[in-house]
Each structure stands twice: as C-alpha cells, then as structure tokens.
Amino acid sequence: MAPWQNLTYFLAALAGCCVLDGSAVMSMTSLDLPSHLSFLSRPHPNPIELADRFLTELVEMLEVEPAQARETAREALGSELHPKLFSPLLSKLDQ
C-alpha cells in the first residue's frame, strides 16, 4: 500500500475529531509537544472548511480514471470516515 493511501485513510478517520459540535475546535495547546511539532498546537482558523474540502476531493476521486485512486477514495469514504462527517458526505453525494 502506498503512503498516500495510508495518509488518506488516516485523514478520513481523524478528520472529524478536531470538529466538536460543528464549530468548536479542540485545542492541543496543553500538550507538551517537541519543538519540531509545535505547529500542531496552533489550530487552523476554520477546520470545518478543511474537512469539507477534503470530503469534496474524496468524492471527486470516485470518478477519476486510475482504479487505485477510485478504490482508495471508496474505501476511505465507506469504512474509514469519521462518523461526524457522515452527514456532510451525504450532502455532497446528494448534490
């Protein structure tokens, strides 16, 4: 399995973890991170937008030509996606 596939599955599984109740962001500022990982303690200003963009790209990958990319997107959306992203996914598929 290629590293990009593992990263796609990882992001699908954890994309909803940083979004609480649709708007709040979990803070990692209380963690004692090594200096080279300090960027993780600064939350993105709009994590919902990032999750939405990630879902959009995965849904678009369902129609691309390389079968490996389609299968990876299908697997990520079908069995790896965080439950908090089910509703946004269904909205995207309904469009």
Side-chain angles (χ1 to χ4, degrees):
M1 187 172 299
W4 69 269
Q5 291 172 300
N6 288 330
L7 184 58
T8 301
Y9 298 146
F10 175 77
L11 289 174
L14 286 143
C17 289
C18 63
V19 179
L20 301 174
D21 301 326
S23 62
V25 178
M26 267 178 42
S27 176
M28 294 178 60
T29 55
S30 62
L31 298 177
D32 187 23
L33 296 171
S35 61
H36 68 282
L37 295 177
S38 64
F39 69 93
L40 293 174
S41 66
R42 294 186 305 268
H44 189 275
N46 193 350
I48 296 170
E49 178 185 326
L50 286 178
D52 184 65
R53 189 169 39 179
F54 178 67
L55 281 178
T56 299
E57 290 181 15
L58 278 179
V59 169
E60 289 172 356
M61 283 178 60
L62 293 172
E63 298 177 349
V64 297
E65 185 54 38
Q68 186 178 20
R70 281 195 314 267
E71 290 302 312
T72 300
R74 182 187 58 78
E75 186 74 23
L77 293 171
S79 61
E80 301 294 334
L81 191 65
H82 192 281
K84 288 184 181 179
L85 297 178
F86 289 167
S87 180
L89 172 63
L90 292 175
S91 297
K92 291 203 171 301
L93 292 174
D94 194 37
Q95 292 176 356

